[in-house]
C-alpha cells in the first residue's frame, strides 16, 4: 500500500509539472503574441505619423511655391486655409493641395476659395461614398487641373467639364474648341457655381450630423498623426543618418564579395529549413527547437558558423590568387 501511495504521488507530481509547463508555454505564447501585436501597432503608428507629416509638409511647400509663382501672398493663403478648415471637416493637407491645384490651373485665390467652398457643400452629401470628405474635394480640384470630369464627380458635381465649356462657349457665340484657357476657367467657375447653387450651406449642415462628426474626427486624427510624425522627425533624421552609411557599406560588401554572401545566405537558409522541419514534428520536438533557437550559445554558434563561412571563402579566394600569382611568376621565369 505504501508503494502504491508513493507511485500515485509520483504520477500526480508528474501531471502537475506537465500542467505547469503547458501553462508556462501558454503564457509565453500569449506574451509573445501581445508583444508582437504591440510592436506592430507602434511601428504602424510611426509609419502613419511620418507619412502624414510628409504629406502635410509637401503640400504646404508646394502651396508656398505656387503662391510665389502666381503672385499670391503667403498671408493671404494662410487666411484662405484657415477659412477652409475652420469647420474641422477638411484636413490642412487636403486644403493646401486643393488650393495648389486650383492656383496651378490659373484661378485667382478668391475664385479658388469659392470653388473649394462649393465643393465642400456638394461633397457633404453627394461625394463618392468610398472617399473621405477632404480627399473628395482634393481630387475634384485635381480633376479641374487635369480636365478630368471623373475626378470632379468625386465631390458630387456630376456635370461633365466639357459640357460646362460648351454652355459657356454658346454664350460667347463660339465653339468650345475655340475657348482659350482663361475662358475654360471661367466656364468651369460658372458651371460649378450653377451646379452647386442648390447645395449651398450643406457643409455647415453636415457638421451637425453624426457622419459629419466622424469626418471631423478623421480630420483631427490626421492632424494628430501629422503632429506625432513631426515630433519623431528629429530622432528619425539622426537614425537615418546613422543607418545609411551602414546600408551603403553592406551594399559594397555584397557587390565585392558575392561568394561570401552566397555562403552566409546558404547557411541561413539551411538553419531556417531546420527550424521548418522541426516545426512539423511533435510538440516535444517543437519545444526543444524553441529552446535551441533562443539559446544564446546556439545563436553565438550560428554567428560563428557564418563568420567561419565568410573566412573560408576569403581563404579560398586568397589561395586561388596565390596560385595565379605563382603561375604568373613561373611563366615569367620561363620567358
Amino acid at each position: 500500500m505504501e508503494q502504491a501511495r508513493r507511485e500515485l504521488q509520483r504520477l500526480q507530481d508528474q501531471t502537475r509539472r506537465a500542467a505547469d509547463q503547458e501553462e508556462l508555454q501558454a503564457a509565453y505564447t500569449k506574451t509573445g503574441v501581445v508583444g508582437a501585436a504591440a510592436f506592430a501597432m507602434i511601428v504602424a503608428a510611426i509609419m502613419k505619423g511620418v507619412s502624414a507629416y510628409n504629406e502635410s509638409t509637401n503640400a504646404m511647400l508646394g502651396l508656398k511655391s505656387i503662391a510665389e509663382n502666381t503672385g499670391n501672398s503667403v498671408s493671404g493663403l494662410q487666411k484662405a486655409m484657415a477659412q477652409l478648415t475652420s469647420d474641422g471637416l477638411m484636413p490642412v493637407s487636403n486644403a493646401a493641395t486643393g488650393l495648389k491645384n486650383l492656383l496651378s490651373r490659373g484661378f485667382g485665390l478668391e475664385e479658388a476659395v469659392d470653388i473649394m467652398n462649393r465643393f465642400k457643400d456638394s461633397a457633404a452629401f453627394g461625394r463618392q461614398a468610398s472617399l473621405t470628405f477632404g480627399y473628395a474635394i482634393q481630387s475634384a480640384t485635381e480633376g479641374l487641373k487635369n480636365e478630368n470630369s471623373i475626378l470632379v464627380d468625386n465631390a458630387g458635381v456630376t456635370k461633365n467639364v466639357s459640357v460646362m465649356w460648351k454652355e459657356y462657349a454658346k454664350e460667347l457665340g463660339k465653339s468650345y474648341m475655340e475657348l482659350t484657357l482663361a475662358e475654360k476657367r471661367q466656364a468651369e467657375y460658372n458651371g460649378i457655381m450653377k451646379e452647386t447653387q442648390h447645395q449651398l450651406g450643406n457643409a455647415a449642415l453636415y457638421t451637425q450630423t453624426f457622419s459629419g462628426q466622424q469626418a471631423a474626427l478623421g480630420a483631427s486624427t490626421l492632424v494628430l498623426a501629422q503632429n506625432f510624425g513631426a515630433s519623431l522627425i528629429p530622432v528619425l533624421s539622426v537614425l537615418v543618418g546613422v543607418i545609411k552609411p551602414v546600408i551603403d557599406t553592406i551594399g559594397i560588401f555584397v557587390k565585392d564579395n558575392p561568394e561570401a554572401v552566397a555562403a552566409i545566405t546558404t547557411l541561413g537558409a539551411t538553419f531556417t529549413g531546420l527550424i521548418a522541419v522541426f516545426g512539423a514534428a511533435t510538440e516535444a520536438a517543437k519545444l526543444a527547437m524553441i529552446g535551441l533557437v533562443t539559446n544564446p550559445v546556439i545563436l553565438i554558434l550560428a554567428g560563428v558558423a557564418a563568420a567561419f563561412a565568410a573566412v573560408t571563402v576569403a581563404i579560398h579566394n586568397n589561395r586561388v590568387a596565390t596560385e595565379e600569382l605563382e603561375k604568373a611568376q613561373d611563366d615569367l621565369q620561363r620567358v
Side-chain angles (χ1 to χ4, degrees), residues 27-41:
Y28 280 144
T29 302
K30 183 177 180 180
T31 302
V33 170
V34 172
F39 182 75
M41 291 176 66

Side-chain angles (χ1 to χ4, degrees), residues 122-139:
S122 61
F125 303 110
R127 70 181 184 278
Q128 295 295 324
S130 60
L131 302 178
T132 63
F133 184 84
Y135 185 74
I137 296 167
Q138 175 186 320
S139 61

Side-chain angles (χ1 to χ4, degrees), residues 63-75:
L63 180 60
K64 181 180 178 181
S65 176
I66 289 295
E68 294 173 350
N69 292 326
T70 56
N72 290 288
S73 66
V74 175
S75 60

Side-chain angles (χ1 to χ4, degrees), residues 168-213:
Y168 185 66
K170 186 177 181 180
E171 294 178 11
L172 298 178
K174 60 167 66 173
S175 167
Y176 82 96
M177 298 293 291
E178 300 173 333
L179 292 177
T180 65
L181 179 57
E183 290 171 338
K184 284 184 176 180
R185 286 197 302 267
Q186 189 62 50
E188 291 159 6
Y189 181 84
N190 293 348
I192 290 169
M193 295 299 111
K194 181 179 179 181
E195 287 300 304
T196 59
Q197 60 182 338
H198 300 299
Q199 298 164 310
L200 195 61
N202 277 0
L205 181 62
Y206 185 58
T207 60
Q208 303 173 20
T209 66
F210 180 69
S211 58
Q213 293 172 358

Side-chain angles (χ1 to χ4, degrees), residues 10-236:
R10 185 181 67 82
L11 291 174
Q12 290 176 341
D13 290 343
Q14 288 181 345
T15 303
R16 185 174 60 255
R17 285 196 296 271
D20 291 343
Q21 290 178 354
E22 289 180 359
E23 292 178 2
L24 184 61
Q25 181 185 354
Y28 280 144
T29 302
K30 183 177 180 180
T31 302
V33 170
V34 172
F39 182 75
M41 291 176 66
I42 291 172
V43 172
I46 291 174
M47 295 299 293
K48 182 177 180 180
V50 172
S51 176
Y53 169 80
N54 288 335
E55 181 182 355
S56 175
T57 302
N58 293 338
M60 293 303 296
L61 289 175
L63 180 60
K64 181 180 178 181
S65 176
I66 289 295
E68 294 173 350
N69 292 326
T70 56
N72 290 288
S73 66
V74 175
S75 60
L77 286 172
Q78 290 176 339
K79 290 180 181 179
M81 293 276 293
Q83 190 270 322
L84 289 169
T85 60
S86 60
D87 54 14
L89 294 176
M90 184 166 53
V92 171
S93 56
N94 293 135
T97 303
L99 281 177
K100 181 187 70 174
N101 290 333
L102 294 177
L103 293 177
S104 298
R105 177 66 172 167
F107 290 104
L109 180 58
E110 184 176 348
E111 291 176 323
V113 172
D114 288 343
I115 291 173
M116 290 192 67
N117 278 325
R118 288 302 184 95
F119 278 156
K120 288 177 65 176
D121 286 332
S122 61
F125 303 110
R127 70 181 184 278
Q128 295 295 324
S130 60
L131 302 178
T132 63
F133 184 84
Y135 185 74
I137 296 167
Q138 175 186 320
S139 61
T141 63
E142 291 173 358
L144 289 181
K145 176 185 175 183
N146 300 319
E147 300 183 353
N148 186 330
S149 297
I150 296 177
L151 292 180
V152 176
D153 186 44
N154 285 343
V157 178
T158 57
K159 177 172 284 190
N160 196 296
V161 173
S162 63
V163 175
M164 298 179 188
W165 296 342
K166 291 176 181 178
E167 290 178 350
Y168 185 66
K170 186 177 181 180
E171 294 178 11
L172 298 178
K174 60 167 66 173
S175 167
Y176 82 96
M177 298 293 291
E178 300 173 333
L179 292 177
T180 65
L181 179 57
E183 290 171 338
K184 284 184 176 180
R185 286 197 302 267
Q186 189 62 50
E188 291 159 6
Y189 181 84
N190 293 348
I192 290 169
M193 295 299 111
K194 181 179 179 181
E195 287 300 304
T196 59
Q197 60 182 338
H198 300 299
Q199 298 164 310
L200 195 61
N202 277 0
L205 181 62
Y206 185 58
T207 60
Q208 303 173 20
T209 66
F210 180 69
S211 58
Q213 293 172 358
Q214 285 182 306
L217 176 61
S220 297
T221 303
L222 181 57
V223 171
L224 173 60
Q226 291 167 352
N227 293 336
F228 179 60
S231 69
L232 294 173
I233 292 303
V235 177
L236 293 179

